Amino acid sequence: MRILIVEDEQKLAQSLAQGLRNEGHQVDVSYTGEEGFFLATDADYDLILLDIMLPQRSGLEILEKLRSQGNNVPVLILSAKDTLADRVMGLNQGADDYLVKPFAFSELIARINAVTRRGGTEALVVLEYLELHLDLLTRSVTRAGTTIDLTRREFDLLEYVLRHQGHIVSRAMLAKDVWQQPNRATPLDNVIDVHITRLRQKLDAQFAYPLIHTIRGVGFVLERRDP
Amino acid sequence: MNYSIRLRLTLWYSLAMLVTLIIFSTISFNLVKRNLYSQVDKSLSASADKLFDAVSDGISRLAEIDRSGSIHYFRITQHGWIIYQSQSWDSLEIANIKIEKGTRNGTSMEVGTFRLHNTKKLFPMIEGAQAVTVSVAQNIDQLETSLQRLKRVFSWGLPLVFLTAISIGYFLAGRSLSPLRDITRKAKHINADRLDQRIAVKQPQDEIGDLAQALNLGFERLEQAFFRLQCFTADASHELRTPLAVIRNVGELGLQSKADTEAKNETISSMLEEVDRLEQLVENLLLLARADTGEPMQGKQQINIGELLTEVVECLGVLAEEKQQILILQNTSRVILDVHKDYLQRALFNVLDNAIRYTPEKGDIQVSLILKSTYFDICIRDSGPGIPIRESENIFKRFYRLDIARSRETGGSGLGLALARWGVEINGGQIFHQESSVGNGCEFIIRFEIGPAGHKL
């Protein structure tokens, strides 16, 4: 994908660009609103990551101008402002999503995927990864042919990490998407950790290699890692 | 125009005084004048009566009266013919005036400096009843003079009294306002550095004393708020500093050592964990800051408290399971409450999380919903070490910790109960800690009033 990052904090912009390039995207970076707007109108992007507080021209202004020109490129707002009013304003201006700083890179990836896939999601019935098999209809899980009994929460958790297979999911993402909690509270982190531990117990203990890994300080990932 | 209250008070009072004085003197002057005239008229009418009596006695009697000087100016006429005329009458300017005309029977009129009274009466004469007119006059020169004098007294006295009123008023206003000036001076003197000072209340009963007390109360609150803010800022900085120190030191160490990738990854992970802690702390601080500004909260919704409790207990239940604790939820009756669900839920999370955290392994925790006629309680009781009752209020303070070492170890931020209190209070409830009714442990009560005016059952 061709992605434009408009962000005046250079360190952040650079690290985001690097991360996205590592994911295989083609990334342009602009540090000012003026240049960002110029690039956005000039070139054809698949996605724009837009900061709100920018020098010369605010992110909201750019967004409004783009939308009024009939440009429907998906826009993901990155902002340190996190009140409901800020979010509503961003989304009303035509943003596709709103991500509050600081955010985990893994969450950005997930949101990017959600935004760019929007409208064209095929309804999956079965999720698979190597020998792991999850059936959404019967809500059953097997690994290498062995049925694994999971509680409802464990099943939802596994479904979520399976959908993001190979990508890290943060606790904030799990809290929001699996536990449906808008605010991330400390107790919930502990709850998530307990569930992950239990899931890992059931999923990995008797098998050849572990599938769920904890990335300290970041989150969890479902993938096969060579020892 | 912006005059001082003192000046305005004086002017208004003086103006009121002036108007009163003018009305008073006008009325009294007129009363005196009317009184004097009516006296003159009465005496004239009496003289007329006397003269009528004398007429029947004959001219000689009239001459006698004239001579005696008891009545100076009089004339008796019949059909315009003069029967008798006193000696002084000629000196009257009105002597030649057709006195029958221009004046009604039995009334008086003013003619020059004289007051003239005409009376016409039927009089039994020899030739039958004849109309005789008696005219009596009296010099009212003196009366006019004394009225003029009275007028003069009023017109000189009035400004004098007015001036006196102004100065006394100004003095009195100044005197009664002087405590106000003292208060102003003192209040100006009290600022952020001197918030501990108070205004001296001399007379607590009067209005000024009231004002001073109200101001003192305001200063008291300000001082407390200021103190809290200072503590909060200091605590917050401290709390932020700790993870920052970890990040810095771990980072520096990672950079120095010629460690392998795995060790470097370990360093980065460690730093990220601290960043995570910082993030949550900042988020909580922001939430509390917003709570302080009273930013209007949207999104109240009707929720079933029993259901919410079930959700919360189910969610945190795994934490209790891990410690082999027995977590019981008693009574999940349907109680509908109009609340901000997120904040109330967070409050419940924090309180229950504390209960689980401080209850030893295999201990028990009880969550119950107790319905009363006018309120309901959510009671969360644990079997931990408990909280001394004297700390019941302190534990809701931000960053307040009963035992610093212990809560560090258990990972608390010191904001949990402060956030819980806010989450409950913003929903119109109250939260407090009380001594456990059974065993040690502590008992937190979250209470919501219900009833016809409030929430419905």
Side-chain angles (χ1 to χ4, degrees):
Chain A
M1 275 200 300
R2 264 198 97 178
I3 299 176
L4 172 65
I5 301 175
V6 190
E7 163 68 61
D8 63 328
E9 176 54 49
Q10 302 200 1
K11 260 191 183 177
L12 181 60
Q14 284 302 339
S15 81
L16 289 181
Q18 191 56 50
L20 290 172
R21 284 189 192 113
N22 290 349
E23 292 277 322
H25 300 296
Q26 197 187 333
V27 184
D28 291 333
V29 176
S30 160
Y31 301 128
T32 67
E34 200 59 58
E35 191 197 11
F37 177 68
F38 176 75
L39 283 173
T41 45
D42 202 43
D44 230 7
Y45 289 101
D46 299 307
L47 176 75
I48 298 176
L49 301 183
L50 192 60
D51 185 19
I52 287 189
M53 284 189 286
L54 286 169
Q56 293 171 15
R57 196 177 266 210
S58 92
L60 288 178
E61 224 180 300
I62 293 173
L63 184 56
E64 194 185 4
K65 207 76 179 261
L66 282 177
R67 292 295 185 244
S68 70
Q69 286 176 358
N71 191 334
N72 284 321
V73 56
V75 171
L76 215 168
I77 287 182
L78 312 175
S79 173
K81 293 177 159 188
D82 72 332
T83 62
L84 195 64
D86 291 321
R87 286 167 193 259
V88 168
M89 190 153 43
L91 296 177
N92 277 349
Q93 244 11 300
D96 294 78
D97 207 346
Y98 191 107
L99 203 52
V100 177
K101 294 179 199 169
F103 49 81
F105 187 74
S106 48
E107 175 144 29
L108 177 66
I109 295 294
R111 298 284 188 100
I112 287 175
N113 289 339
V115 164
T116 50
R117 217 178 26 218
R118 195 163 281 174
T121 327
E122 67 231 84
L124 287 173
V125 179
V126 172
L127 299 171
E128 278 174 316
Y129 183 75
L130 299 177
E131 53 185 30
L132 183 63
H133 187 98
L134 182 142
D135 191 322
L136 286 166
L137 281 182
T138 58
R139 290 184 74 85
S140 62
V141 178
T142 59
R143 180 167 176 184
T146 314
T147 305
I148 299 168
D149 276 329
L150 295 179
T151 62
R152 186 178 57 84
R153 198 65 94 181
E154 285 161 1
F155 183 88
D156 292 344
L157 192 55
L158 182 60
E159 181 197 336
Y160 192 78
V161 290
L162 204 47
R163 280 188 191 277
H164 294 84
Q165 51 186 260
H167 291 287
I168 300 172
V169 294
S170 65
R171 289 185 181 83
M173 289 163 78
L174 291 174
K176 188 169 152 284
D177 296 331
V178 179
W179 270 266
Q180 322 279 325
Q181 297 297 323
N183 303 303
R184 189 177 155 211
T186 323
L188 206 54
D189 281 4
N190 300 335
V191 169
I192 291 171
D193 287 353
V194 169
H195 280 289
I196 287 280
T197 310
R198 291 183 178 182
L199 181 60
R200 193 182 278 151
Q201 200 78 37
K202 293 180 179 173
L203 202 66
D204 292 341
Q206 299 102 342
F207 297 92
Y209 53 90
L211 278 175
I212 296 175
H213 305 271
T214 302
I215 315 293
R216 258 186 74 202
V218 185
F220 311 97
V221 66
L222 184 131
E223 66 184 359
R224 178 177 186 170
R225 291 188 162 186
D226 297 318
Chain B
M1 278 189 278
N2 210 354
Y3 295 119
S4 73
I5 292 187
R6 183 182 187 180
L7 197 64
R8 271 183 291 167
L9 260 181
T10 312
L11 284 175
W12 279 112
Y13 275 123
S14 306
L15 204 69
M17 180 107 180
L18 185 67
V19 171
T20 318
L21 273 175
I22 288 175
I23 292 172
F24 169 77
S25 33
T26 314
I27 289 175
S28 46
F29 179 81
N30 283 323
L31 273 176
V32 168
K33 187 175 170 183
R34 226 167 73 189
N35 201 10
L36 286 175
Y37 274 102
S38 89
Q39 265 175 28
V40 170
D41 289 349
K42 244 184 228 150
S43 114
L44 282 174
S45 137
S47 301
D49 286 346
K50 194 174 168 191
L51 287 169
F52 268 120
D53 289 345
V55 169
S56 51
D57 293 344
I59 303 292
S60 57
R61 179 84 187 103
L62 291 172
E64 200 179 298
I65 291 171
D66 190 12
R67 263 199 311 281
S68 74
S70 58
I71 302 168
H72 274 292
Y73 309 97
F74 66 91
R75 183 168 71 173
I76 321 281
T77 52
Q78 189 180 18
H79 300 310
W81 296 99
I82 297 168
I83 298 176
Y84 186 86
Q85 181 173 305
S86 73
Q87 287 162 357
S88 318
W89 187 267
D90 282 335
S91 66
L92 240 67
E93 303 127 43
I94 51 166
N96 300 319
I97 297 173
K98 273 262 180 189
I99 46 177
E100 287 91 347
K101 288 186 181 163
T103 165
R104 288 210 319 278
N105 190 25
T107 61
S108 304
M109 66 180 287
E110 245 177 289
V111 183
T113 60
F114 284 84
R115 188 94 179 143
L116 177 70
H117 183 91
N118 289 326
T119 317
K120 203 178 209 175
K121 254 191 185 172
L122 279 178
F123 207 79
M125 289 295 229
I126 308 122
E127 315 89 67
Q130 292 290 328
V132 173
T133 303
V134 174
S135 303
V136 198
Q138 192 177 324
N139 196 343
I140 52 166
D141 213 2
Q142 241 174 337
L143 187 144
E144 281 296 330
T145 318
S146 43
L147 277 178
Q148 284 307 318
R149 203 177 299 133
L150 188 65
K151 211 181 239 170
R152 217 163 26 243
V153 167
F154 277 150
S155 51
W156 277 104
L158 217 73
L160 214 69
V161 170
F162 182 58
L163 280 178
T164 319
I166 284 185
S167 33
I168 291 177
Y170 193 67
F171 170 72
L172 283 180
R175 235 182 89 136
S176 56
L177 287 176
S178 81
L180 209 59
R181 256 201 316 277
D182 290 345
I183 289 176
T184 312
R185 203 180 314 121
K186 189 77 188 170
K188 272 181 188 162
H189 182 73
I190 296 174
N191 57 26
D193 301 326
R194 283 171 259 178
L195 270 177
D196 55 322
Q197 299 193 9
R198 295 286 174 275
I199 295 161
V201 183
K202 282 168 194 142
Q203 257 143 2
Q205 311 305 335
D206 66 8
E207 291 89 338
I208 304 270
D210 248 13
L211 174 70
Q213 280 170 327
L215 278 175
N216 276 344
L217 204 68
F219 285 131
E220 183 79 40
R221 287 209 204 99
L222 206 60
E223 189 190 6
Q224 279 172 11
F226 203 73
F227 180 70
R228 272 205 305 274
L229 185 69
Q230 272 179 334
C231 290
F232 181 64
T233 314
D235 288 339
S237 315
H238 176 78
E239 292 294 324
L240 290 169
R241 212 172 247 173
T242 314
L244 281 175
V246 175
I247 293 170
R248 168 172 281 270
N249 295 341
V250 168
E252 282 172 347
L253 200 71
L255 210 57
Q256 271 176 16
S257 63
K258 296 188 173 54
D260 53 11
T261 320
E262 201 169 324
K264 294 255 184 208
N265 282 350
E266 181 68 19
T267 303
I268 294 170
S269 295
S270 177
M271 288 167 75
L272 283 173
E273 275 175 358
E274 289 307 306
V275 167
D276 209 47
R277 224 173 105 187
L278 266 179
E279 260 180 52
Q280 291 201 31
L281 187 60
V282 168
E283 198 182 311
N284 284 343
L285 286 175
L286 265 176
L287 200 61
L288 281 171
R290 244 168 245 157
D292 286 342
T293 55
E295 199 173 294
M297 297 286 174
Q298 294 153 339
K300 270 197 174 186
Q301 48 176 319
Q302 299 222 323
I303 61 151
N304 180 352
I305 297 296
E307 214 169 83
L308 179 68
L309 279 178
T310 313
E311 245 173 66
V312 168
V313 168
E314 229 165 55
C315 186
L316 293 192
V318 292
L319 297 179
E321 275 173 35
E322 288 295 297
K323 292 179 81 177
Q324 295 163 34
Q325 295 162 337
I326 303 157
L327 173 58
I328 305 166
L329 172 61
Q330 281 183 332
N331 184 10
T332 53
S333 304
R334 191 179 150 79
V335 183
I336 302 294
L337 204 60
D338 200 23
V339 292
H340 299 279
K341 188 187 171 193
D342 289 352
Y343 301 121
L344 183 59
Q345 185 172 10
R346 178 187 275 257
L348 291 169
F349 263 149
N350 287 352
V351 177
L352 185 56
D353 185 48
N354 272 353
I356 294 171
R357 190 176 299 187
Y358 293 118
T359 295
E361 293 206 350
K362 295 182 179 159
D364 54 309
I365 298 146
Q366 200 174 13
V367 179
S368 38
L369 183 60
I370 303 158
L371 300 171
K372 296 280 158 112
S373 57
T374 57
Y375 64 89
F376 71 84
D377 282 349
I378 299 166
C379 175
I380 298 170
R381 190 166 66 219
D382 67 33
S383 52
I387 294 168
I389 205 75
R390 62 171 189 282
E391 301 277 14
S392 291
E393 195 49 37
N394 286 332
I395 50 174
F396 290 103
K397 289 181 181 163
R398 294 162 190 193
F399 297 120
Y400 191 84
R401 286 192 172 110
L402 279 174
D403 181 348
I404 291 168
R406 190 184 62 186
S407 51
R408 272 257 183 280
E409 182 187 307
T410 47
S413 68
L415 289 175
L417 285 178
L419 281 167
R421 164 163 280 188
W422 172 70
V424 169
E425 283 176 356
I426 200 175
N427 284 311
Q430 45 178 323
I431 180 171
F432 51 90
H433 163 258
Q434 64 181 36
E435 244 167 330
S436 177
S437 43
V438 276
N440 297 321
C442 55
E443 199 169 300
F444 282 92
I445 307 285
I446 296 172
R447 178 168 294 173
F448 285 97
E449 304 284 329
I450 42 171
H455 314 290
K456 57 177 183 284
L457 267 172

